[in-house]
Amino acid sequence: IPGVAIRGCRPDGTTHFWNTASEHLYGYKAEEALGRNLVDLIVPTVLHETARRDMQQMFENHQASPAGELSLMNKEGSPVPVFSSNAYVQLPGRKAEIFCFDIDLSERQQADAELRIAATAFEAQEGIVVSDPRLLILRVNKAFTDIVGYTGAEAIGQPLALVLFSSDRHDADFLAAMNE
């Protein structure tokens, strides 16, 4: 599964499975990770005790811990935001194992941050209008509605030229400047 980092470990934390997606996400080649303790590899130091306790509980209770978002770390020590889930596996005649499944949330977090910045910028004091390629209005900010005299509900879905040139709040010179 190329988009899911999968690792397998034994009760003592020794890593015995490391897929290609784990190599990409965490920066360790399989040869570097196999045989090493999973907690020491990708869990931030401040979370080592918690991670070891959670792993021990999974093996004692024979069930996985709840899935959720967390921040692990790559080979360089940089944070890696992931959605992580685990599976407790006990096959007949074999020792129990835990498999960890992580999905990289870096792009989603970056997109969320950019959306927050855009939302803040959109509410600037300057009039802002967003249109589609046909110049139909998709969204306007309060400053824009103050300038043209239409509410957002009245402007959205309308051609940009209609809203700009039919406003009776401004003279022809102002509307020409807006068009420019």
Side-chain angles (χ1 to χ4, degrees):
I1 305 173
V4 180
I6 304 171
R7 283 127 11 258
C9 68
R10 296 190 172 85
D12 65 358
T14 302
T15 304
H16 67 83
F17 182 82
W18 190 270
N19 74 346
T20 303
S22 293
E23 290 182 348
H24 295 297
L25 186 60
Y26 297 108
Y28 293 98
K29 293 289 184 195
E31 305 81 48
E32 296 175 281
L34 297 176
R36 290 181 61 190
N37 188 286
L38 183 62
V39 172
D40 295 335
L41 281 174
I42 62 172
V43 176
T45 305
V46 297
L47 297 175
H48 277 193
E49 278 307 308
T50 302
R52 285 188 173 93
R53 186 176 53 248
D54 288 349
M55 192 178 296
Q56 181 181 2
Q57 286 177 349
M58 285 189 274
F59 281 106
E60 288 174 1
N61 299 334
H62 301 193
Q63 60 185 7
S65 59
E69 292 184 21
L70 59 124
S71 183
L72 297 174
M73 64 182 190
N74 64 19
K75 185 176 180 178
E76 286 76 40
S78 298
V80 179
V82 295
F83 181 84
S84 187
S85 184
N86 302 291
Y88 174 85
V89 178
Q90 175 68 67
L91 297 175
R94 295 183 60 178
K95 292 184 178 185
E97 307 168 287
I98 296 289
F99 283 89
C100 308
F101 307 88
D102 294 344
I103 298 172
D104 186 2
L105 297 179
S106 299
E107 287 182 19
R108 190 190 88 187
Q109 285 189 351
Q110 179 66 31
D112 287 348
E114 289 176 12
L115 284 173
R116 283 191 298 279
I117 291 167
T120 301
F122 194 74
E123 293 310 319
Q125 300 301 310
E126 299 294 324
I128 299 175
V129 59
V130 177
S131 69
D132 67 10
R134 297 173 301 161
L135 298 181
L136 293 178
I137 297 174
L138 300 175
R139 187 159 177 213
V140 297
N141 71 351
K142 180 166 178 1
F144 181 83
T145 61
D146 291 345
I147 291 168
V148 298
Y150 289 101
T151 67
E154 292 170 329
I156 293 173
Q158 298 299 318
L160 183 57
L162 176 69
V163 172
L164 288 178
F165 295 115
S166 64
S167 173
D168 59 0
R169 294 183 125 189
H170 305 285
D171 61 22
D173 289 338
F174 176 85
L175 295 175
M178 280 287 284
N179 187 45
E180 185 64 31

